[in-house]
Amino acid sequence: AAYVDVAVTLKTADWFDAAAFPQAVFDAARFAEAAAEKTYTAGGTLKLRDKTVPVTVSFTLEEYSDTKAKAKGYALIKRNDFGVGQGAWAKTDEIKDDVKVEFVLGVVK
């Protein structure tokens, strides 16, 4: 069997096309406190490749002060909405359309 370097493959034009689209940008439009303590949602848009799609991000504040903040969260997206996985990879029988994107964000003032 041939070895496939997934990190290299995901940067190609069929996937994230990192050369043409080196950044993904989430633009939050609104925040809301969820049911659990220190748990929030942010609604906005996610720009990935050349597509901009409404997305809701859920996160918890693990640390918050006047000088530092740390949030951990996730967003559920459909990769085909963003054109991630084109050609033969657009099919969802082997690689599902639903993707959970997890993140940790640290901010220091």
Side-chain angles (χ1 to χ4, degrees), residues 68-92:
K68 292 192 287 188
K70 180 179 178 184
K72 182 176 182 181
Y74 68 92
L76 301 173
I77 65 170
K78 293 195 175 291
R79 67 179 178 85
N80 280 324
D81 286 352
F82 296 95
V84 174
Q86 297 187 7
W89 298 110
K91 295 179 184 177
T92 59

Side-chain angles (χ1 to χ4, degrees), residues 6 8-18 21 48-49 79 82-86 88-91 95-96:
V6 175
V8 171
T9 301
L10 289 176
K11 294 177 185 177
T12 66
D14 279 346
W15 290 95
F16 289 97
D17 197 0
F21 307 105
L48 188 59
R49 295 184 55 110
R79 67 179 178 85
F82 296 95
V84 174
Q86 297 187 7
W89 298 110
K91 295 179 184 177
I95 299 177
K96 301 299 178 201

Side-chain angles (χ1 to χ4, degrees), residues 7-92:
V8 171
T9 301
L10 289 176
K11 294 177 185 177
T12 66
D14 279 346
W15 290 95
F16 289 97
D17 197 0
F21 307 105
Q23 292 183 330
V25 176
F26 177 70
D27 186 12
R30 64 193 178 287
F31 289 91
E33 190 166 357
E37 183 182 346
K38 296 183 180 179
T39 302
Y40 304 87
T41 60
T45 56
L46 177 62
K47 183 175 183 181
L48 188 59
R49 295 184 55 110
D50 58 344
K51 309 284 190 233
T52 301
V53 176
V55 170
T56 298
V57 172
S58 299
F59 63 97
T60 57
L61 283 176
E62 296 191 340
E63 180 180 348
Y64 184 79
S65 72
D66 289 340
T67 58
K68 292 192 287 188
K70 180 179 178 184
K72 182 176 182 181
Y74 68 92
L76 301 173
I77 65 170
K78 293 195 175 291
R79 67 179 178 85
N80 280 324
D81 286 352
F82 296 95
V84 174
Q86 297 187 7
W89 298 110
K91 295 179 184 177
T92 59

